[in-house]
Amino acid sequence: MDVKLDPSRDDLPLLANTGHILVKHYVLDLDVDFKSQIIEGSIVLFFEPGNRFKKQSSSIEETCQSESNEACKFRMPEPCHNPVTHTSTFSSKMGYDGFSVCGKGVKDTSGKDGNHDNWEQASGISSSKYCCDTGNHGSEDFLLVLDCCDLSVLKVEEVDVAAVPGIEKFARSPTLTVVSEELRNQIIRELVTLPADRWREQLDYYARCSQAPGCGELLFDTDTWSLQIRKTGTQAATDFPHAIRIRYRTKPQGRSVTWTSDQSGRPCVYTMGSPINNRALFPCQEPPVAMSTWQATVRAAASFVVLMSGENSAKPTQLHEGCSSWHYYVTMPMPASTFTIAVGSWAEMKPETCLSNDLATERSLSSSEADFRYVGVCGHMEYPCRFQNASATTQEIIPHRVFAPVCLKGACQETLLRLIPPCLSAAHSVLGTHPFSRLDVLIVPANFPSLGMASPHIIFLSQSTLTGMSHLCGTRLCHEIAHAWFGLAIGARDWTEEWLSEGFATHLEDVFWARAQQQLAPREAQEQQELRACLRWRRLQDEVRNSPEEMQVLRPNKEETGCVSDSGSSVIKHGLNPEKAFMQVHYLKGYFLLRFLAKRLGDDTYFSFLRKFVHTFHGQLILSQDFLQMLLENIPEEKRLELSVENIFRDWLESSGIPQPLQRERGAAAACGLARRVSAEVAKWIRVNRRPRKRKRRETEEVFEKLLPDQLVWLLECLLEQKTLKPRTLQSLERTYHLPEQDAEVRHRWCELVVKHRYTKAYKDVERFLQEDQAMGIYLYGELMVGEDARQQQLARRCFELTKEQMDRSSAEVVAEMLF
């Protein structure tokens, strides 16, 4: 049955034919031009063809069969075997002769939607004839399909790797003496399978091969979501060139990159982890099974800093054109979607004085914490793995840097810099070896559409995390650090199972943050976590009431989760639905499931298991059943109480609404002490609000307790349920808690109160929030419009006019629908 697809809204196609050929390594060579808002250059792809995939860790043992390859239409995937592959790598400094230098980019004026396809002009062949024959089901040429969108592809050519000096040592067959396709492919086969201890040599030769001359152009064509490449007369993936170079340029409107200005008004560009990931940054294989390594040389004007997903802390090399060149590499295979780049006038932020001992101290590990910090055999294929490095396993705090616009120096020094060491140390004490050897943290521009994003070796944080006390910054930093293990080192094999990343990070952020606050007593830590559970319970109830049922399911593909067609192509359910970006169901339901399981086992047993799970599955892709089966094997029989993978699927992952076990648990749970104190404060404010303007002399003033940030959020949410709050009550509330100076979570609720009760004296706080906290302000636009108050609607439109040019594109579209 054909998939009913509305690519503009609902589902995201992944078209790369990873079932037939896999990219093992990317070499990028790029110029960043801010005048034209274009990134231009080349990418060299090194392939390993054939269905040589080894199944690892999956509980489903099935074979992939597609119904038909008829007429280039999507088919519903049959149950299938899903590959998990890995390799090793590195890189060396490199540059290409004859490439554009920085400053030469121009606005795209090419035809055919900016793509110079050469099929028809070179051979008169219609691309549609080859569109679906990606696996050589007949006599036509093999077709390489890459995920690609919003790119101008200029040229595709085979790379003559045999011309690289010294490369002959990879030509193992004495019968191959004449330079041929077979010889070139044999060289690449040997290169991509070098053992992990030769990673430096491997990446050096990748770099050399990427600079080799071309040896023949390849035919190519593009459509909305893909780049298709073929070589005349090549009928099998094994015979297709194993190294190709694609020359291309991005488009200013490309959805994988955001061109904007930072908080100091300087131009910058960053990748944003949008639903289409990196296919508008470079042609690639987007399905998560296409795990690869990469190296990149990026040139920009000398005033810019280039940050990227890379194992090395790159330093600029000055070029004679007045540009700087930056080089990064990774040796751990990961999906192309995890690649991140940010270029801007960032300044490295360093503490003015040494951190105090209470923040930077390294605690000794208890025996239970050290259980799985040992050098053992890993389950992934070869790469230089930190879990096999004895010194890395005991490294509590990895090297880290902080970058931000200069205007945020004070906020970074006051809040962020002192939080990173204890948060990293706390994560290590819970999960063990840090999967990545270093970390950069970047404060991204105001238009960044979320509070944070984690990529290999780099975390993006919103400026909204820097205001108020350290609580919001600390919890968000812990959330993103948790993604190093869950989301990056261990990835979901099916993108629809986001809970495997976000649910884990949400659960672990509380655990990490409790340990990072080193003066916090265990009872206080438990109370804080219970309060956050109460807040999340309220949010989950609200999400369930106000979102479509089909969007509340954590495993929407059910038994077909992880399945793809025989070519490797698939469709990500709801992948392009604009509502999904603003939903937190997969965070919240995933969090409550893990909390439920941790309570069933007990924290000590659960986190001991989690370290074992990380050691078993790092460097691999998983499905829900991989985690659940291993967990249930570690639960004593008396604690299972009818728990099974099937029951958890039914109750938690494959149904909409609030899971029955969670309803029973929250129904039986008494409010925690911190929440009860808030209830007492709410009662005081209700009494204050009821008093007449002129009070009796004997009437005593209410004395309000000092509240934690999460308690303030709870208080304001409770007060939002009141039908009316008088202006003098709101004024007193503002003064008592200094609300305009609190963190963004608190200020958001304050702004809701201001809008609901039309408290005009604080409209300036709403305007500030909409402009400076764009990651959280979308909901407020709706609140300003639904009350049909002319002044509020005017405020909303004025703020949108001031920010729309810089606002994240998806957010701007949603807001525009609200306003006009």
Side-chain angles (χ1 to χ4, degrees):
M1 189 171 116
D2 290 340
V3 173
K4 300 301 182 185
L5 185 65
D6 179 3
S8 67
R9 291 188 65 85
D10 297 323
D11 300 288
L12 177 67
L14 302 179
L15 297 184
N17 53 337
T18 55
H20 303 131
I21 190 166
L22 279 175
V23 178
K24 305 301 288 183
H25 189 72
Y26 297 96
V27 179
L28 296 98
D29 186 87
L30 302 172
D31 290 287
V32 180
D33 188 298
F34 282 96
K35 185 177 180 180
S36 62
Q37 296 190 341
I38 284 173
I39 299 174
E40 182 172 10
S42 72
I43 182 169
V44 177
L45 294 77
F46 295 86
F47 295 100
E48 183 179 53
N51 282 309
R52 298 175 55 198
F53 309 131
K54 294 180 181 178
K55 193 170 191 65
Q56 298 179 27
S57 77
S58 177
S59 58
I60 301 175
E61 194 71 49
E62 294 166 323
T63 304
C64 223
Q65 295 290 335
S66 67
E67 292 179 15
S68 165
N69 63 343
E70 169 195 358
C72 215
K73 293 180 181 177
F74 280 103
R75 302 305 236 170
M76 289 296 290
E78 297 291 326
C80 67
H81 169 101
N82 223 340
V84 178
T85 55
H86 306 262
T87 188
S88 57
T89 45
F90 178 87
S91 91
S92 66
K93 297 208 171 175
M94 41 174 278
Y96 298 118
D97 296 331
F99 283 102
S100 59
V101 296
C102 63
K104 284 193 174 181
V106 293
K107 292 283 187 182
D108 185 352
T109 57
S110 58
K112 271 199 92 145
D113 195 29
N115 298 289
H116 298 270
D117 108 69
N118 63 359
W119 280 22
E120 294 186 14
Q121 58 206 45
S123 60
I125 297 173
S126 167
S127 62
S128 62
K129 177 179 178 182
Y130 296 89
C131 171
C132 290
D133 194 20
T134 60
N136 190 33
H137 300 293
S139 60
E140 288 92 348
D141 297 330
F142 169 77
L143 188 71
L144 169 68
V145 181
L146 299 174
D147 295 299
C148 174
C149 182
D150 301 333
L151 292 178
S152 296
V153 178
L154 309 174
K155 182 181 180 181
V156 182
E157 62 182 350
E158 183 177 358
V159 179
D160 187 9
V161 296
V164 174
I167 200 73
E168 59 273 3
K169 67 180 178 180
F170 295 111
R172 300 299 184 188
S173 174
T175 61
L176 297 176
T177 56
V178 179
V179 175
S180 63
E181 187 78 73
E182 187 179 355
L183 175 64
R184 288 189 286 267
N185 286 352
Q186 184 190 82
I187 289 169
I188 299 301
R189 281 195 296 271
E190 293 292 330
L191 180 57
V192 301
T193 55
L194 282 179
D197 60 2
R198 295 174 66 183
W199 62 271
R200 292 183 184 274
E201 177 188 14
Q202 184 184 47
L203 291 186
D204 179 59
Y205 273 100
Y206 276 138
R208 294 189 196 184
C209 288
S210 71
Q211 299 175 66
C215 57
E217 287 195 41
L218 302 175
L219 300 173
F220 69 90
D221 195 9
T222 59
D223 58 26
T224 303
W225 292 111
S226 70
L227 167 64
Q228 304 126 31
I229 303 169
R230 72 177 183 87
K231 181 176 181 178
T232 304
T234 300
Q235 297 182 2
T238 51
D239 300 324
F240 190 81
H242 289 15
I244 66 170
R245 180 184 295 119
I246 302 170
R247 298 179 191 257
Y248 73 97
R249 65 169 68 107
T250 65
K251 297 180 179 181
Q253 70 275 20
R255 283 167 279 179
S256 294
V257 292
T258 297
W259 298 88
T260 187
S261 298
D262 67 17
Q263 292 85 341
S264 297
R266 302 292 300 275
C268 61
V269 62
Y270 62 86
T271 52
M272 56 174 294
S274 67
I276 70 165
N277 292 316
N278 282 317
R279 70 188 73 187
L281 178 63
F282 58 89
C284 56
Q285 291 182 331
E286 284 279 23
V289 294
M291 299 178 77
S292 60
T293 48
W294 58 75
Q295 61 201 91
T297 296
V298 180
R299 288 175 294 277
S303 60
F304 291 99
V305 173
V306 177
L307 302 176
M308 207 183 86
S309 304
E311 293 170 21
N312 58 316
S313 298
K315 302 294 183 183
T317 300
Q318 299 300 319
L319 303 178
H320 66 276
E321 296 92 350
C323 296
S324 294
S325 175
W326 301 72
H327 183 77
Y328 288 90
Y329 62 84
V330 298
T331 63
M332 176 183 174
M334 285 170 287
S337 59
T338 64
F339 179 99
T340 299
I341 188 170
V343 184
S345 299
W346 325 121
E348 184 175 357
M349 302 295 167
K350 297 182 179 179
E352 292 180 343
T353 57
C354 292
L355 294 175
S356 60
N357 290 334
D358 64 317
L359 288 170
T361 184
E362 294 192 10
R363 302 183 300 278
S364 60
L365 303 176
S366 70
S367 58
S368 63
E369 289 174 335
D371 283 347
F372 296 100
R373 298 195 182 92
Y374 55 81
V375 179
V377 177
C378 296
H380 56 74
M381 293 182 71
E382 271 199 298
Y383 66 84
C385 179
R386 285 174 54 80
F387 286 79
Q388 296 178 4
N389 182 326
S391 61
T393 62
T394 59
Q395 187 180 26
E396 290 191 34
I397 302 171
I398 56 175
H400 52 275
R401 307 181 297 180
V402 174
F403 292 88
V406 176
C407 65
L408 294 177
K409 179 180 180 181
C412 287
Q413 289 178 331
E414 186 176 325
T415 304
L416 178 59
L417 285 168
R418 63 177 53 250
L419 288 174
I420 296 175
C423 290
L424 287 171
S425 180
H428 181 271
S429 73
V430 176
L431 293 181
T433 307
H434 287 280
F436 302 106
S437 58
R438 69 172 198 94
L439 175 66
D440 284 340
V441 180
L442 172 65
I443 302 300
V444 283
N447 70 341
F448 190 70
S450 73
L451 287 180
M453 184 180 80
S455 299
H457 315 284
I458 186 168
I459 286 173
F460 289 173
L461 279 184
S462 166
Q463 65 177 25
S464 297
T465 63
L466 299 179
T467 57
M469 298 165 61
S470 61
H471 175 76
L472 178 59
C473 188
T475 54
R476 195 66 205 193
L477 184 62
C478 286
H479 182 100
E480 304 307 335
I481 288 173
H483 278 312
W485 287 268
F486 291 95
L488 296 174
I490 301 174
R493 228 174 68 192
D494 187 313
W495 280 356
T496 62
E497 291 203 303
E498 293 171 83
W499 83 272
L500 288 169
S501 174
E502 298 300 352
F504 275 91
T506 304
H507 189 229
L508 287 167
E509 76 177 62
D510 291 358
V511 180
F512 291 177
W513 182 234
R515 296 201 182 201
Q517 300 171 85
Q518 294 166 13
Q519 308 306 317
L520 203 62
R523 181 173 177 78
E524 290 179 283
Q526 183 64 30
E527 281 276 292
Q528 285 190 15
Q529 292 183 41
E530 286 298 324
L531 177 61
R532 290 175 70 76
C534 291
L535 285 168
R536 291 184 179 120
W537 170 244
R538 291 172 67 94
R539 289 170 199 167
L540 180 58
Q541 289 176 304
D542 186 61
E543 287 258 321
V544 168
R545 281 194 299 265
N546 297 293
S547 61
E549 283 195 10
E550 67 271 15
M551 303 287 284
Q552 301 171 19
V553 179
L554 302 194
R555 196 169 179 261
N557 290 335
K558 299 187 178 179
E559 68 276 1
E560 293 182 347
T561 301
C563 296
V564 297
S565 68
D566 63 345
S567 73
S569 65
S570 61
V571 175
I572 304 302
K573 196 168 185 62
H574 308 306
L576 291 175
N577 192 311
E579 290 183 66
K580 195 170 184 214
F582 303 102
M583 293 182 62
Q584 294 187 335
V585 167
H586 47 290
Y587 291 74
L588 298 171
K589 288 176 76 170
Y591 157 81
F592 278 114
L593 169 57
L594 295 171
R595 196 169 184 273
F596 168 78
L597 294 171
K599 280 191 171 183
R600 181 66 64 90
L601 270 74
D603 280 352
D604 289 344
T605 302
Y606 175 77
F607 287 109
S608 178
F609 157 75
L610 207 57
R611 288 188 290 276
K612 182 179 180 181
F613 180 80
V614 165
H615 194 275
T616 302
F617 282 98
H618 71 272
Q620 301 176 60
L621 302 172
I622 64 168
L623 298 174
S624 294
Q625 55 263 43
D626 298 315
F627 171 74
L628 295 173
Q629 284 176 346
M630 184 172 175
L631 177 77
L632 293 175
E633 289 168 3
N634 284 265
I635 296 181
E637 188 65 39
E638 66 272 12
K639 289 189 176 182
R640 289 195 190 179
L641 299 178
E642 299 182 359
L643 272 185
S644 66
V645 174
E646 293 73 24
N647 289 346
I648 294 172
F649 278 174
R650 181 196 65 214
D651 295 339
W652 291 88
L653 304 182
E654 294 181 355
S655 59
S656 60
I658 296 177
Q660 286 295 325
L662 178 57
Q663 291 186 38
R664 289 193 296 269
E665 178 208 304
R666 298 311 300 177
C672 67
L674 292 177
R676 286 196 299 271
R677 285 198 284 276
V678 172
S679 298
E681 298 302 294
V682 171
K684 293 177 187 177
W685 283 107
I686 292 174
R687 287 198 297 269
V688 167
N689 190 59
R690 288 174 179 167
R691 285 175 183 166
R693 179 175 294 274
K694 292 184 179 180
R695 291 173 293 164
K696 297 176 182 178
R697 287 187 178 180
R698 293 181 183 178
E699 213 167 35
T700 57
E701 290 281 346
E702 294 285 1
V703 178
F704 297 102
E705 289 190 27
K706 186 176 180 180
L707 299 179
L708 297 170
D710 281 334
Q711 287 180 298
L712 275 176
V713 170
W714 183 281
L715 173 81
L716 297 177
E717 288 188 358
C718 290
L719 291 177
L720 273 165
E721 296 169 358
Q722 296 299 306
K723 186 174 181 180
T724 57
L725 291 179
K726 297 172 183 176
R728 58 184 172 80
T729 304
L730 292 166
Q731 184 180 46
S732 181
L733 193 69
E734 177 183 0
R735 289 175 178 174
T736 300
Y737 302 114
H738 308 285
L739 293 175
E741 286 78 52
Q742 295 291 342
D743 71 33
E745 290 278 10
V746 176
R747 287 187 289 110
H748 186 273
R749 273 66 174 191
W750 167 237
C751 289
E752 288 184 71
L753 273 175
V754 169
V755 172
K756 177 176 179 177
H757 299 290
R758 302 180 183 179
Y759 181 48
T760 57
K761 289 183 179 179
Y763 279 4
K764 62 183 184 303
D765 295 337
V766 178
E767 293 188 39
R768 173 193 163 203
F769 195 92
L770 291 177
Q771 293 177 58
E772 296 181 7
D773 299 282
Q774 294 180 35
M776 303 172 66
I778 303 301
Y779 176 78
L780 276 180
Y781 278 105
E783 292 298 292
L784 287 165
M785 298 304 293
V786 296
E788 298 185 353
D789 178 85
R791 185 169 176 182
Q792 288 191 358
Q793 292 184 345
Q794 184 182 24
L795 186 156
R797 293 191 176 103
R798 182 170 65 250
C799 288
F800 184 61
E801 283 300 316
L802 290 171
T803 58
K804 67 179 182 181
E805 295 303 320
Q806 298 291 331
M807 190 180 286
D808 166 68
R809 186 179 308 159
S810 297
S811 301
E813 290 173 357
V814 171
V815 173
E817 285 186 15
M818 296 176 182
L819 302 187
F820 305 108

